[in-house]
Structures are given as C-alpha cells and as structure tokens.
Amino acid sequence: MRFFLVCGFWILSAATAAHAAQPSAAEELPFEAQVQPCWSPPAGADTPVTVAFTLNPDGSLDQKPVIKKKGDGALNEAFAQSALRAVLRCSPYKVTDKLEFETTFIPDPTKARPSAAAPHKDPAADVQDGDPRTRIVDFGTVKISFKVPEGLCAIDPKRGGYHERLWKALAPPLQRKAELKSLDVDCVSLKASEAGGDKRPKYAFTMMRYYGGGQPVPADLPTFLDELEKDTQPLTPRFWEDPPVAGSPFLGRDDRAAYAAQRFLEDGKVVLSGVSAFTLVGRMPILMNHYAVEGPDLAAERQSGMAGIVAGMQVISGD
C-alpha cells in the first residue's frame, strides 16, 4: 500500500525528463494541430461542424467563435458545442499573417451512436453533453467513467510524438506494481509542448491500476480502506503550517475511497504537491493522483476535490 508514498517522486522527475526531450519546431503548427489537444468530442455525431473565428495579431480570439454549419439532433449539437469549446480553450494560437479562420471538425465514424435502450451501459452515455472532462478507461472486465478537473487535456500515446514520450515517461516502472491507464496534463503546457516549446506540465491527473506488489487484495472495500489507513503516515497539524514540510499523510476516508496528501520539497520549496485517492472496483485497486508541479499547494485543498471525482465515477460493464 505504500505506493501512495513514492509515486510523486517519479512523477516529478519523469515530467522533467519528458519536457527536456521535446524537440524544437522549425515552423508554426497548422491550426488543426494546435486545437486538437483541447478537443474531446462526444460519440454518435454523424455530421461535420464548421466554426468561424477571427484572431488578434497576438493569437488571441478577437471575438467568440461562431458555428457556421452543424447537423440536426442532440448528438450533433453536442458535437458542435465540443468544437466551439475547443477553439475557446486553446486560445491564444501561434499565427503568421492569417487572422480569419473557418475550420471544419469531422466526427469519428468508428465511435458508435449511444444506445437509447441502455444508456448506463454505453461508454458514451456520459459525454452526450460534450463535456471535455469526461474520460472512459477500459480495464478489460469493466470500464470506468469519470471527469477530470477543469483545464486538463488528455494524453493519447497512440498519437505519437510528445504524447507518446510523456506517457512513457510518467508510466510507473515495473517495480511500482502499477499500470498507467489515463493521463491528463494542463492544456496550456500541452499546447506549448506540441508547438515545439520546452514546457514541463504544471498539472497532471492520472488513473492507475495497482497490483499490490503480490499482497492479497481484500475482498471488500471497507477492509481494503482499513488496511490502507493503517499503512499510511498519520496527519498532524504541522503538515498545514509554515514553513512547509514534505510527506504523504492520510487525509481521511469516506465510503468510497481513502485520501492522502502529497508534498515534496527541494531547498525548502514545494516542488510537487497533490492529492491521491485509493479505491476498489470489484477486487481491482484503483489509484488516482492530482498533482501540481512548482505551482499552488494542491495538498492544501485536502480531499474535497478528489472526493467529488470519486463520487462521480461510474462503473460500466465490460463488453
């Protein structure tokens, strides 16, 4: 269970290594490549959407983008709104002399239309509103749907390039007995890195499957949380006082998960902080981490934000 206590160290060092390996770009990325990290379209749409907008010379939006063309029905409307949000979220853009754009977003035909007969069994059921924060992770026997914090964009290693390098860098080494299943970083850092910048992510959110290092996994969640609580550093008032101290104390638990703070220091300065949640799906341990690198002390937010993410998780039956 001491995975809580060590995962932050390799997150910090791996993020540094990943951004240091980022190659520079000799020319500007096309708009489509710049907006892609901010776009998380829902499934089921069958009609492309065209969005028009104008940029200022500094790359910021001159005014709110406008939907010029879209399909009929709720799914196509959700798809159109997801494209609109993507254009807004990824601003400002790297531009040359072109300031007026009209771009088309095309649905992925491999994504099936959600089933009206069994909406809670369909992986796309929770993204019909086009919420870009929704993630669906396939664990083989089950799929888990959850929402990441605002301002984060998904890392997809299948896209290659920076996405693949960052995924490999942040995937836990074999001795950690864990498997990275979902990774998000802040959209601002991701966009800068894809454009050829040298940007380490400021925020990261991960979901991992934890194998327990050969230890037997308790058959029920309460017993699992009991054992985790006993094996985690206790929280003391000193943790919240100045000057900051490092550690991974136990913050508390509810009927869904146990929560721990994460804080790491260099020369007395907070270089990584966050909150972790450990829960059990069936007999499969799941670990979620929300980290800030050299930013605000996320540990001070305690478990409330993470508890909301855990409470919103949905377990979907596997195929």
Side-chain angles (χ1 to χ4, degrees):
M1 300 299 182
R2 292 193 177 276
F3 189 59
F4 260 155
L5 309 180
V6 295
C7 59
F9 285 115
W10 109 76
I11 287 280
L12 177 61
S13 58
T16 302
H19 98 278
Q22 174 69 15
S24 60
E27 54 187 21
E28 310 291 357
L29 287 177
F31 169 77
E32 290 78 6
Q34 294 186 57
V35 79
Q36 183 66 38
C38 299
W39 188 37
S40 182
D46 58 12
T47 305
V49 58
T50 300
V51 178
F53 56 95
T54 302
L55 299 180
N56 295 309
D58 64 356
S60 62
L61 288 167
D62 180 56
Q63 55 188 328
K64 186 176 181 180
V66 177
I67 296 174
K68 303 287 286 187
K69 181 182 178 181
K70 64 180 179 179
D72 297 326
L75 293 177
N76 284 316
E77 175 64 27
F79 182 81
Q81 292 299 321
S82 75
L84 197 66
R85 277 193 295 270
V87 174
L88 289 167
R89 290 180 66 190
C90 260
S91 175
Y93 297 97
K94 298 180 74 69
V95 297
T96 52
D97 56 347
K98 182 180 179 181
L99 298 178
E100 294 186 359
F101 288 83
E102 190 169 291
T103 188
T104 299
F105 294 75
I106 301 174
D108 183 351
T110 65
K111 292 187 175 181
R113 179 180 296 272
S115 169
H120 296 294
K121 296 298 183 180
D122 194 296
D126 283 344
V127 296
Q128 292 183 23
D129 61 354
D131 190 340
R133 299 183 302 140
T134 301
R135 303 289 179 265
I136 298 173
V137 181
D138 190 348
F139 286 86
T141 56
V142 298
K143 296 176 182 178
I144 296 177
S145 170
F146 65 100
K147 296 184 186 297
V148 300
E150 290 280 359
L152 299 183
C153 287
I155 296 297
D156 180 3
K158 295 180 181 178
R159 292 181 57 186
Y162 180 77
H163 283 251
E164 183 179 13
R165 289 193 299 275
L166 187 62
W167 183 282
K168 289 181 177 179
L170 295 184
L174 294 177
Q175 61 266 31
R176 297 287 184 245
K177 306 298 182 182
E179 178 187 7
L180 180 63
K181 301 295 292 185
S182 179
L183 170 62
D184 285 77
V185 299
D186 62 287
C187 298
V188 174
S189 297
L190 177 59
K191 178 187 169 189
S193 296
E194 289 192 323
D198 190 13
K199 191 79 170 177
R200 180 169 64 184
K202 292 182 178 179
Y203 298 94
F205 189 94
T206 64
M207 174 179 276
M208 301 182 188
R209 179 176 183 176
Y210 179 54
Y211 294 98
Q215 301 176 11
V217 177
D220 61 275
L221 181 58
T223 303
F224 177 77
L225 298 180
D226 286 343
E227 293 188 4
L228 183 64
E229 182 175 0
K230 289 187 296 184
D231 198 34
T232 307
Q233 172 189 349
L235 178 67
T236 65
R238 174 67 185 90
F239 190 76
W240 304 117
E241 298 172 356
D242 289 325
V245 293
S248 301
F250 184 81
L251 292 177
R253 57 184 281 186
D254 52 29
D255 59 353
R256 300 181 182 91
Y259 307 93
Q262 302 278 4
R263 189 189 290 148
F264 303 91
L265 307 179
E266 286 183 2
D267 300 324
K269 177 184 177 182
V270 177
V271 293
L272 185 142
S273 66
V275 180
S276 300
F278 225 150
T279 188
L280 203 62
V281 176
R283 296 192 66 180
M284 180 172 61
I286 301 296
L287 174 64
M288 291 185 289
N289 302 293
H290 187 197
Y291 286 109
V293 179
E294 296 181 355
D297 189 358
L298 285 189
E301 297 182 8
R302 310 203 178 185
Q303 74 264 34
S304 58
M306 185 67 83
I309 293 173
V310 174
M313 285 175 51
Q314 294 188 26
V315 178
I316 307 168
S317 297
D319 297 333

